[in-house]
Amino acid sequence: MSSETQGALPVRWGPRAQPLEPLAVVGVGDVARALARRVLLADDARLSTWSGVAGRGVLVLLGASESLPWVDGVTYLGRDVSAPSLLLPCAVAPEVLVSVLERALLSRVEVGGTPWAVLPSGPWLLSVASARPVHRATLAAWLADEEGGAS
């Protein structure tokens, strides 16, 4: 389970001039469940290369950029050197300095590990510091719980 903070980010986002290299992929809601189903199709060797965190309605998978799966609607996250504590969307950037955004966001969260994943299109700021290796049984149980609770 991940630590998460809900609440719209009071920041505008626009196209990023230079996309970040993906280090993580995240899905929310139906997209999170689709991502989990896609990940469960991977062989054990591929699963062993990923780590992840999950919460109610959200799944984050971390790994090498070329290994990250694609599902329609996911957001890829990367690291901007000006905000090393955050994983930010690869394709869009905040319209404020990322270092200022990082300080503002970190001042609003509990003391704990980093990095924090930032999702501008949803009300999400979540810690991925507790990411653990992906285990098929654990992910399948999370998915079953999510699908059982989905309406």
Side-chain angles (χ1 to χ4, degrees):
M1 186 73 115
S2 63
S3 298
E4 47 189 73
T5 301
Q6 294 187 357
L9 296 175
V11 175
R12 291 183 199 198
W13 298 77
R16 186 177 285 280
Q18 183 70 28
L20 298 174
E21 180 178 351
L23 301 174
V25 60
V26 59
V28 176
D30 290 339
V31 175
R33 291 183 288 279
L35 179 59
R37 287 189 293 273
R38 174 76 168 90
V39 169
L40 288 170
L41 295 175
D43 62 30
D44 290 339
R46 176 60 55 107
L47 281 180
S48 71
T49 67
W50 294 324
S51 61
V53 294
R56 176 63 56 203
V58 63
L59 177 63
V60 181
L61 189 68
L62 296 101
S65 62
E66 66 278 358
S67 77
L68 294 172
W70 177 84
V71 171
D72 192 28
V74 295
T75 300
Y76 289 95
L77 304 175
R79 184 164 282 129
D80 186 309
V81 295
S82 299
S85 298
L86 303 178
L87 292 177
L88 297 164
C90 291
V92 296
E95 291 184 353
V96 298
L97 292 173
V98 292
S99 58
V100 172
L101 177 65
E102 179 184 48
R103 281 193 302 273
L105 291 175
L106 293 179
S107 73
R108 298 176 62 187
V109 296
E110 299 172 11
V111 175
T114 59
W116 286 85
V118 179
L119 301 177
S121 61
W124 300 97
L125 173 65
L126 58 134
S127 174
V128 294
S130 63
R132 298 290 178 258
V134 175
H135 294 286
R136 190 176 307 281
T138 303
L139 182 58
W142 176 86
L143 180 59
D145 184 55
E146 286 292 308
E147 289 178 333
S151 308

